[in-house]
Amino acid sequence: MNHALIFNVHSLGFRRPPGPHRIATILRDEGWDIEVIDFANHWSIEELIEFSKSRITSSTVFIGYGVMFDMWDNNSPMENFSKHIRKTYPNIKQILGGQWPPIHSANYIDFFITGYAENAMLQLIKVLVGSDPLRSIIFDPEYLGTKRKVISGNKFYPSFPMKSLMIKYEDRDFIKSTEWLTIEFGRGCKFKCPYCTYPILGVKGDYTRNATDAFNQLAETYNKYGITNYFVADETFNDSTDRIKKFADIVEQLDFNPWFSGFIRADLLVSRQGDWEHLGRMGFSGQFYGIETMNYQTAKAIKKGMDPERLMPGLLDAKKYFITHHKNRYRGTIAQIFGLPYETKETISNALKWLENNWQGEAVMVSPLEIPTDSKIDVLSELSINWKEYGYSEYLGSEIKAKHYTISQGHMNSKMIWKNDNMNYYEALKIADDWKIKSEQDRVFGIPGFALDYATNYGVSIDQALAIRPDPLTKESFQKHLTGIQHNIKYYINKKLDS
């Protein structure tokens, strides 16, 4: 039996991004023995080497790495581990996948895959075992201008839509019942917001997974591991009433009451109050709203045209409904982007005042507008391509970036420092940082992120976790948070090493 190891590389605390587990699932269906190693960038290089030595055999065909965000540089443990694999096991191929894989800092990788990777991997393994020649693979010569073997999954081997998005975990994953896993109900978004860089926009028809497929995944993870809490990866879960009802119907057939958290488009939530019942039936009470702006002219420019005078009171009505009808399991997060077209410092200030007065106890996420301009590094949005038409120009001011805000270093050089008639990037950045420092709503964990970490770190139910409100950010609360994460990750690593 062909064998491989896939390392899950990410920075989000005690969480398991689904990509490596999804690839493992489809390859096991092809008869492979695949073991996933989570929290890989938290392992020491010595632990990684010890573990690989205990697992690699003559049947090991490849070592895989799934990278969520850019968590790989020339001095990272993963780079040193990859170098060790190349030196010690030169015949084993190394594959790295992710939305933006670190092409220039991962120097010992044989193949890179970008985007959704299922169909690309199914083709690549045929090459690795010798059933298909290397020339059967289509490589992307344009990606980053590199000569490395980069396979664009979304471009040449699209894995969307897919009727099965099943993920099957194994006992050797050592999953705790209080963890949150990630689930997909469909891939693609029917909308085309100008600032959005998600690669699958404007889809038509039904692009959701099979309902039975979703039911089986939820039932299996509950029956085997006691999992009841999930992040929903879909870009816009509530894009249609039929979609919500489809999955609410299967959830009601489960032997437990799950709790889902994911992206809900606020204008649709307000305009279709009949959806509230079905979201409640499903347990979709952790709701993230990308409202982005409370300025009507700006909302229309980014194709979110509901008048905030109607949207924001309607959102408060929805919040009241979910708290009243669904056991106080509701948690809401509002996201704001500072610097969008027609937004002024005054309209931003008005929005923040509204949030202070009306959104107590829930979460607010704020950030400055980022405009990627290098198509070899980022998927470009409509705004990124036509930024001049939206009133932006390059800003060459000498202001120093606020120290409380960081941008992924791997993409820093691809983002334009902009200005328009109302503000520049650094001013928008400062407004965001000042809010984060000032506001008690900007918590160390956020909501429902706080509930996730609290439930996992302290081994309590979602209802117990939701009853606790996070403390404002302090050195003590942050250290307590880190200690809980480190404890859980160390528990997992020791389990893997001892198994």
Side-chain angles (χ1 to χ4, degrees):
M1 178 182 293
N2 292 317
H3 169 258
L5 302 173
I6 302 180
F7 291 83
N8 205 348
V9 185
H10 68 99
S11 62
L12 299 178
F14 195 73
R15 309 184 195 178
R16 306 172 192 255
H21 291 279
R22 172 70 182 139
I23 296 300
T25 299
I26 66 165
L27 293 187
R28 289 171 192 145
D29 290 342
E30 297 293 315
W32 284 63
D33 174 21
I34 306 290
E35 183 171 2
V36 177
I37 302 89
D38 288 308
F39 321 111
N41 52 307
H42 295 276
W43 294 53
S44 70
I45 182 63
E46 292 79 15
E47 289 169 334
L48 290 168
I49 291 174
E50 177 187 349
F51 177 82
S52 63
K53 185 177 180 180
S54 71
R55 295 301 199 271
I56 291 175
T57 71
S58 59
S59 298
T60 304
V61 177
F62 73 87
I63 303 290
Y65 309 90
V67 179
M68 185 174 181
F69 307 123
D70 198 347
M71 292 302 303
W72 194 304
D73 59 45
N74 291 326
N75 298 313
S76 67
M78 297 313 301
E79 175 70 356
N80 291 327
F81 176 64
S82 179
K83 180 179 180 180
H84 165 80
I85 294 296
R86 172 66 65 86
K87 180 179 179 181
T88 310
Y89 309 99
N91 294 326
I92 295 178
K93 298 300 182 183
Q94 297 189 71
I95 306 169
L96 192 153
Q99 289 296 328
W100 298 285
I103 302 293
H104 293 307
S105 54
N107 297 297
Y108 304 97
I109 300 299
D110 297 288
F111 301 98
F112 296 87
I113 300 177
T114 69
Y116 293 113
E118 288 97 330
N119 288 327
M121 276 298 302
L122 290 175
Q123 179 58 40
L124 182 55
I125 62 170
K126 295 178 183 178
V127 173
L128 298 184
V129 299
S131 59
D132 277 8
L134 182 61
R135 65 175 180 272
S136 67
I137 294 289
I138 304 174
F139 295 106
D140 190 348
E142 299 178 357
Y143 193 87
L144 290 180
T146 181
K147 294 182 180 179
R148 298 190 180 186
K149 292 183 172 63
V150 179
I151 306 168
S152 177
N154 293 342
K155 186 187 298 185
F156 299 121
Y157 301 93
S159 298
F160 53 87
M162 300 191 81
K163 289 303 177 184
S164 175
L165 291 168
M166 176 64 69
I167 294 178
K168 291 187 176 182
Y169 296 92
E170 299 185 319
D171 290 344
R172 58 185 171 179
D173 292 322
F174 301 108
I175 293 174
K176 293 184 174 182
S177 63
T178 51
E179 287 188 47
W180 294 39
L181 300 179
T182 301
I183 189 167
E184 295 177 277
F185 291 105
R187 287 180 180 171
C189 183
K190 66 188 293 184
F191 303 105
K192 288 186 176 181
C193 299
Y195 57 87
C196 183
T197 60
Y198 182 64
I200 313 169
L201 300 175
V203 299
K204 306 295 183 183
D206 182 8
Y207 51 95
T208 59
R209 72 191 288 183
N210 181 277
T212 302
D213 188 66
F215 174 87
N216 290 340
Q217 181 175 339
L218 293 166
E220 179 174 297
T221 50
Y222 175 73
N223 292 331
K224 292 182 69 174
Y225 312 111
I227 295 294
T228 61
N229 306 319
Y230 288 89
F231 282 114
V232 176
D234 302 36
E235 287 299 302
T236 307
F237 181 77
N238 66 324
D239 62 2
S240 76
T241 299
D242 288 343
R243 173 194 182 97
I244 304 170
K245 291 173 66 176
K246 172 181 177 178
F247 294 111
D249 289 345
I250 66 108
V251 165
E252 285 194 319
Q253 300 173 35
L254 295 167
D255 296 330
F256 65 100
N257 296 316
W259 198 81
F260 295 100
S261 176
F263 183 82
I264 295 292
R265 183 153 169 156
D267 55 351
L268 299 181
L269 185 72
V270 170
S271 63
R272 298 201 309 247
Q273 294 189 15
D275 290 351
W276 300 0
E277 175 190 353
H278 305 303
L279 288 167
R281 288 196 296 125
M282 185 175 174
F284 207 124
S285 300
Q287 300 181 6
F288 182 99
Y289 311 113
I291 293 177
E292 324 307 0
T293 179
M294 294 186 196
N295 179 36
Y296 190 25
Q297 188 179 13
T298 302
K300 290 189 291 184
I302 63 173
K303 298 182 181 179
K304 292 193 174 183
M306 180 176 283
D307 189 339
E309 293 293 325
R310 177 189 174 197
L311 177 64
M312 304 316 295
L315 197 57
L316 294 180
D317 289 340
K319 172 185 174 181
K320 182 178 180 181
Y321 172 88
F322 285 103
I323 289 175
T324 302
H325 291 80
H326 300 287
K327 301 178 182 179
N328 199 30
R329 282 186 155 203
Y330 173 86
R331 290 295 181 268
T333 300
I334 288 178
Q336 295 272 282
I337 299 176
F338 300 154
L340 289 165
Y342 309 115
E343 194 81 84
T344 68
K345 294 177 183 177
E346 181 180 3
T347 61
I348 292 174
S349 177
N350 291 337
L352 294 178
K353 288 178 182 176
W354 188 95
L355 292 166
E356 287 178 342
N357 294 330
N358 296 279
W359 203 243
Q360 300 96 336
E362 308 303 335
V364 177
M365 294 180 62
V366 297
S367 62
L369 173 68
E370 294 183 0
I371 305 180
T373 56
D374 189 341
S375 61
K376 293 179 179 179
I377 297 179
D378 292 290
V379 177
L380 299 187
S381 67
E382 178 187 331
L383 192 151
S384 291
I385 296 170
N386 300 310
W387 47 270
K388 290 183 180 179
E389 296 178 16
Y390 284 89
Y392 294 93
S393 59
E394 291 191 74
Y395 178 65
L396 303 178
S398 60
E399 283 86 342
I400 299 174
K401 282 183 279 295
K403 62 183 179 180
H404 301 285
Y405 184 84
T406 60
I407 300 175
S408 171
Q409 193 62 40
H411 306 294
M412 186 61 152
N413 294 330
S414 74
K415 297 187 186 337
M416 179 178 72
I417 304 301
W418 54 262
K419 67 176 181 178
N420 60 20
D421 291 340
N422 299 316
M423 70 189 78
N424 62 56
Y425 171 81
Y426 293 122
E427 290 173 327
L429 179 64
K430 186 176 188 305
I431 295 171
D433 279 338
D434 287 347
W435 164 265
K436 293 176 185 180
I437 295 169
K438 170 188 173 183
S439 175
E440 289 189 358
Q441 293 187 48
D442 189 76
R443 312 289 186 165
V444 59
F445 311 124
I447 305 170
F450 169 80
L452 177 154
D453 288 319
Y454 196 92
T456 302
N457 292 342
Y458 297 98
V460 301
S461 70
I462 182 62
D463 292 298
Q464 290 172 307
L466 289 173
I468 304 297
R469 291 293 181 174
D471 296 325
L473 176 58
T474 65
K475 181 177 180 181
E476 292 74 20
S477 64
F478 187 64
Q479 185 57 51
K480 185 176 181 180
H481 166 62
L482 290 180
T483 300
I485 290 174
Q486 292 164 356
H487 172 79
N488 280 297
I489 291 176
K490 192 62 180 177
Y491 166 87
Y492 170 85
I493 293 173
N494 289 338
K495 282 286 190 180
K496 293 293 276 188
L497 290 171
D498 293 340
S499 63

